[in-house]
Amino acid sequence: MNCFWENMAVLLQNVTNSIWHAFDALSTDKVNVMKSKLKVLTANIGTLLHLYGVEKGLDHYRSTSTLNFEHFKYYLQKEVFSSVKDSLHLDQLRLYESSIDEVCWLVCKKIYLARENPFFPDICVYQIFRIFCLLSEMVPNGKESFQVVLNHSEVDLLVSQLDSLLGISLGPGEIDTIFLENTNTSPMIFSEFLSLLESRHASSYIPPKGTLSNRGRPLSGIEGSHGVEEGAIREAVAELHDTYVKDVLKKGYLHKKGELLPTLREYWFVLQPNRLAYYKGRTEEESGGEARGAISLGSDCTIGVSPSPRTGAHDFRFIVSTGERSYELAAHDQRTRLQWISALQIALAHCGDVLEGYQRQLALRRRLQRQALQQKEEEKQRKKAQAEEQATSPPEQQLLPLLLRARLAAETQARELEDVKVRLEKLLEEETQAKRDEEIVRALQARVLREEWEKREELEKLQDEQQLLLEEEREKRRVFEELQKDKENQLQDAKLKLKKLEEDRIKLDSELKTAQEKIHLSEKAKDVLEAKLRVMFPEATKEGGAEGVRRALSFMSCVRDRPRVRRDHSDKHEQLDGDGYAHSYESASSHP
């Protein structure tokens, strides 16, 4: 069953006593604490609650450099705990309580661990501290200070349970004698309560031979019997811590029937008001291991006795039925089964009271009972005083009711006037503080306005400078645009010239190509003429060789005016001379 906390004020109420111990450890005058120290404590609490920067508001909270516990608690309620989400799971809230208690213990442990003759290990002192904070109550200790004390009846209860866990049995008057010797039955602060426990056990034990504690001193033992080892002390205090802080109603080994296989397996069970968890063994639970399973307990659960299927070792069975499934469990004997059934019925009766926890509810009931008894005792004493007064003055018995009424009226009026005076003083103090805060706010406003005016002047100056820079930039841009325009015009002219040069180049390339073709044709014609000359004048060619050919060619026109030779149909050649006239001659074959 999912149990949710819907009021975060409960979390603050549960950890108020622990926070007060840390506040008291940071205080130098037992009333006020510097804000710088409280900021560190607030930041750590906020970090545990996944809230960051919550300590910064302390600088602006009230105009004083110190705070008393009432103001600090109001700040935590408004700025820190009110920021936590409204609904939290019960396990998550217990984790928050444990973390905040641990932080507060780190602040104040130096005071409580510095003892002359310590008997409990440090971890046990921390567990006793958490039990003390859970059961104690905060009472006024002056105009602006408070004190966390534990009532005499609660001390008596804790001492008796611790003695029972350690195997000590005392007579009815022995505990009262110890209280009279130590505290005169008045409410105790934590240091007194711890001193009482340690002196109580130190006076009841004698050191055993060869047994040393974690601090190098011999632990005590029961006179004439065995010595108490450190493990026994740790186990007893841890069990007491689980009972009060974790609301553990009962622990022990039980056999559980499997869901698929009908065999019985032994587990270590831990019963709380909202669930019944089981572990593989006791060491797994004590070392903080995860449970192998858990049975959620709710208003729809029932407890019944299962008939024995056979005679055997696991014959004492009972059934835990939920809305979804029935769990069959078995104890070792009849007494154990009855104890578990009784504890389960208590758990089912309180499974819905998860707002403050089972032990907190019991402590609240005991506190209300003490207050009722105190009121009855005061009423009894008042009636006794009235009877004695009537017996000592019989003639005035008729006036006694009037005198009593007048006295009661005067007392009532005096109380009212006292209340009015307290309220007026408080209002005056608040008004004075409000005036101080108003002056501070006005000074802050004036400073803010002055800073704003200075920033405005700086802004105007920057705007003027920016305007000048903008004008300069515009002028530079205009000059740049003109230069760019000139460059573009030059670029266009260059492109046109380049285009014209490209056209000229193409034309010259074409003419060059034509000229090269003409040269090529003339070279071919030259070769043909040389060949024909060799055919026509073979003697000159033989006699003069190449020189003769050159002389023959010298009489012909140049390359440019070289005649074109062609063969007609009548085997005659036409030669164009330099003047463009045609001359025909016969071939060399007909005329040698």
Side-chain angles (χ1 to χ4, degrees):
M1 181 182 63
N2 295 329
C3 301
F4 292 94
W5 297 73
E6 298 179 354
N7 189 358
M8 290 311 301
V10 176
L11 175 59
L12 178 59
Q13 180 181 354
N14 293 347
V15 298
T16 296
N17 292 342
S18 300
I19 296 175
W20 179 87
H21 282 90
F23 184 92
D24 185 66
L26 296 174
S27 176
T28 55
D29 57 357
K30 301 299 181 182
V31 178
N32 298 313
V33 178
M34 297 293 294
K35 285 183 178 180
S36 58
K37 297 180 180 180
L38 294 178
K39 286 175 68 176
V40 178
L41 179 60
T42 306
N44 283 277
I45 294 176
T47 302
L48 294 175
L49 299 176
H50 306 289
L51 302 172
Y52 303 98
V54 292
E55 74 280 0
K56 297 179 181 178
L58 282 172
D59 294 331
H60 309 289
Y61 176 64
R62 306 185 71 86
S63 59
T64 57
S65 60
T66 60
L67 294 176
N68 58 31
F69 184 74
E70 184 177 5
H71 295 156
F72 180 57
K73 181 181 176 182
Y74 180 80
Y75 178 82
L76 291 178
Q77 180 181 358
K78 294 296 183 182
E79 300 296 333
V80 181
F81 288 89
S82 62
S83 301
V84 183
K85 58 184 181 180
D86 295 334
S87 59
L88 283 177
H89 195 273
L90 176 61
D91 295 337
Q92 183 66 33
L93 193 67
R94 283 179 176 170
L95 179 61
Y96 282 159
E97 291 180 8
S98 176
S99 301
I100 295 175
D101 287 347
E102 187 175 357
V103 168
C104 296
W105 174 248
L106 290 175
V107 176
C108 64
K109 71 175 183 179
K110 185 177 180 181
I111 301 173
Y112 301 119
L113 294 181
R115 312 185 305 281
E116 294 182 358
N117 298 313
F119 176 76
F120 295 107
D122 293 349
I123 183 63
C124 295
V125 178
Y126 169 63
Q127 292 173 341
I128 294 173
F129 170 78
R130 293 199 66 190
I131 298 172
F132 179 88
C133 292
L134 188 145
L135 298 178
S136 58
E137 51 187 316
M138 185 176 293
V139 296
N141 190 28
K143 185 177 180 180
E144 294 182 349
S145 62
F146 297 88
Q147 199 171 31
V148 177
V149 295
L150 189 63
N151 190 269
H152 170 265
S153 60
E154 301 291 343
V155 175
D156 190 0
L157 178 63
L158 290 176
V159 171
S160 300
Q161 292 179 349
L162 186 59
D163 289 343
S164 177
L165 292 172
L166 291 174
I168 304 173
S169 59
L170 295 177
E174 294 186 25
I175 297 179
D176 294 334
T177 303
I178 294 172
F179 284 121
L180 289 172
E181 291 176 356
N182 289 276
T183 61
N184 197 18
T185 68
S186 60
M188 292 183 179
I189 60 177
F190 179 68
S191 57
E192 295 174 349
F193 176 64
L194 183 62
S195 177
L196 170 66
L197 291 180
E198 293 192 326
S199 62
R200 158 79 185 90
H201 293 90
S203 63
S204 301
Y205 289 115
I206 61 172
K209 295 181 180 181
T211 306
L212 296 178
S213 69
N214 61 337
R215 296 180 179 271
R217 290 178 300 277
L219 292 174
S220 301
I222 300 177
E223 186 173 1
S225 180
H226 61 281
V228 178
E229 298 179 353
E230 181 181 342
I233 298 173
R234 290 175 179 269
E235 183 178 347
V237 176
E239 186 170 350
L240 194 65
H241 172 268
D242 292 346
T243 300
Y244 282 95
V245 177
K246 297 183 179 180
D247 286 335
V248 175
L249 299 177
K250 189 172 177 57
K251 294 181 179 181
Y253 281 102
L254 289 173
H255 287 81
K256 175 181 171 294
K257 185 178 179 181
E259 183 177 3
L260 299 177
L261 300 176
T263 57
L264 293 174
R265 295 187 62 182
E266 190 177 45
Y267 293 96
W268 175 260
F269 282 79
V270 178
L271 176 62
Q272 293 174 294
N274 61 328
R275 71 170 190 167
L276 176 63
Y278 53 92
Y279 302 81
K280 186 176 181 180
R282 182 174 183 176
T283 56
E284 186 178 29
E285 184 263 334
E286 292 177 350
S287 61
E290 188 176 355
R292 297 304 176 96
I295 304 173
S296 298
L297 302 179
S299 58
D300 56 345
C301 295
T302 57
I303 309 298
V305 177
S306 175
S308 303
R310 61 183 179 82
T311 302
H314 311 299
D315 201 19
F316 306 96
R317 304 191 181 192
F318 58 97
I319 298 176
V320 180
S321 298
T322 64
E324 299 177 354
R325 181 188 166 190
S326 295
Y327 298 87
E328 187 172 353
L329 307 176
H332 293 283
D333 51 28
Q334 177 67 16
R335 180 182 177 184
T336 306
R337 178 170 68 174
L338 293 177
Q339 290 176 352
W340 274 103
I341 291 175
S342 177
L344 284 167
Q345 290 174 349
I346 295 175
L348 293 179
H350 297 86
C351 63
D353 301 335
V354 294
L355 186 61
E356 294 182 356
Y358 173 65
Q359 291 296 337
R360 292 184 186 275
Q361 288 285 345
L362 294 182
L364 179 60
R365 292 176 187 176
R366 293 194 296 268
R367 191 177 305 153
L368 294 177
Q369 289 176 0
R370 289 195 299 269
Q371 293 176 358
L373 290 175
Q374 185 177 0
Q375 291 177 357
K376 289 182 180 180
E377 186 67 23
E378 291 177 356
E379 183 69 20
K380 184 178 179 181
Q381 293 294 335
R382 188 178 64 80
K383 289 182 179 180
K384 184 178 180 181
Q386 291 178 1
E388 291 177 355
E389 188 177 355
Q390 291 177 3
T392 54
S393 56
E396 299 177 354
Q397 290 182 359
Q398 295 180 355
L399 297 177
L400 186 59
L402 297 176
L403 292 174
L404 289 175
R405 285 196 295 271
R407 181 178 177 182
L408 290 175
E411 290 178 355
T412 303
Q413 187 177 5
R415 284 195 298 270
E416 292 178 353
L417 291 175
E418 186 68 23
D419 294 339
V420 171
K421 181 181 178 181
V422 171
R423 287 197 297 270
L424 288 175
E425 290 178 353
K426 190 173 182 180
L427 291 173
L428 181 61
E429 182 182 357
E430 291 179 355
E431 184 178 0
T432 305
Q433 184 65 33
K435 289 182 178 179
R436 294 175 184 172
D437 295 341
E438 185 178 359
E439 292 176 357
I440 293 174
V441 171
R442 286 180 179 177
L444 290 174
Q445 288 179 347
R447 187 178 68 183
V448 170
L449 288 174
R450 185 170 59 256
E451 292 177 354
E452 185 178 357
W453 183 259
E454 292 175 355
K455 290 181 179 179
R456 185 175 180 180
E457 291 180 350
E458 292 178 0
L459 181 60
E460 291 178 352
K461 186 177 180 180
L462 290 174
Q463 287 179 349
D464 294 338
E465 294 177 356
Q466 188 177 6
Q467 188 68 25
L468 291 175
L469 292 174
L470 186 60
E471 293 294 335
E472 294 177 357
E473 186 66 25
R474 287 176 180 173
E475 182 66 23
K476 290 180 180 180
R477 185 174 181 180
R478 185 182 62 79
V479 174
F480 176 76
E481 287 178 353
E482 291 178 356
L483 292 175
Q484 188 177 7
K485 189 174 181 180
D486 294 339
K487 295 291 184 180
E488 288 178 355
N489 293 332
Q490 294 177 3
L491 181 61
Q492 292 294 332
D493 295 341
K495 286 182 178 180
L496 292 175
K497 290 180 179 180
L498 182 61
K499 185 177 180 181
K500 186 176 181 181
L501 289 174
E502 185 69 20
E503 292 175 354
D504 293 343
R505 185 186 65 81
I506 293 172
K507 184 178 180 181
L508 290 175
D509 287 343
S510 178
E511 292 178 355
L512 178 62
K513 187 176 180 181
T514 304
Q516 287 177 351
E517 290 177 354
K518 288 180 179 181
I519 292 172
H520 183 66
L521 292 174
S522 64
E523 289 293 332
K524 289 176 66 176
K526 176 184 176 182
D527 294 339
V528 171
L529 287 176
E530 287 179 355
K532 288 182 178 183
L533 285 176
R534 288 189 187 97
V535 173
M536 293 172 64
F537 306 102
E539 293 83 3
T541 305
K542 291 180 181 180
E543 293 177 0
E547 185 65 25
V549 174
R550 282 195 295 269
R551 283 198 304 266
L553 290 175
S554 64
F555 292 101
M556 299 182 67
S557 302
C558 63
V559 174
R560 183 176 298 178
D561 297 332
R562 181 175 297 176
R564 296 174 59 185
V565 179
R566 63 182 180 85
R567 182 177 296 269
D568 53 5
H569 297 286
S570 60
D571 261 342
K572 292 184 179 181
H573 296 279
E574 280 188 359
Q575 181 178 355
L576 295 176
D577 58 7
D579 296 330
Y581 296 99
H583 300 274
S584 59
Y585 56 91
E586 293 180 353
S587 63
S589 58
S590 59
H591 299 280

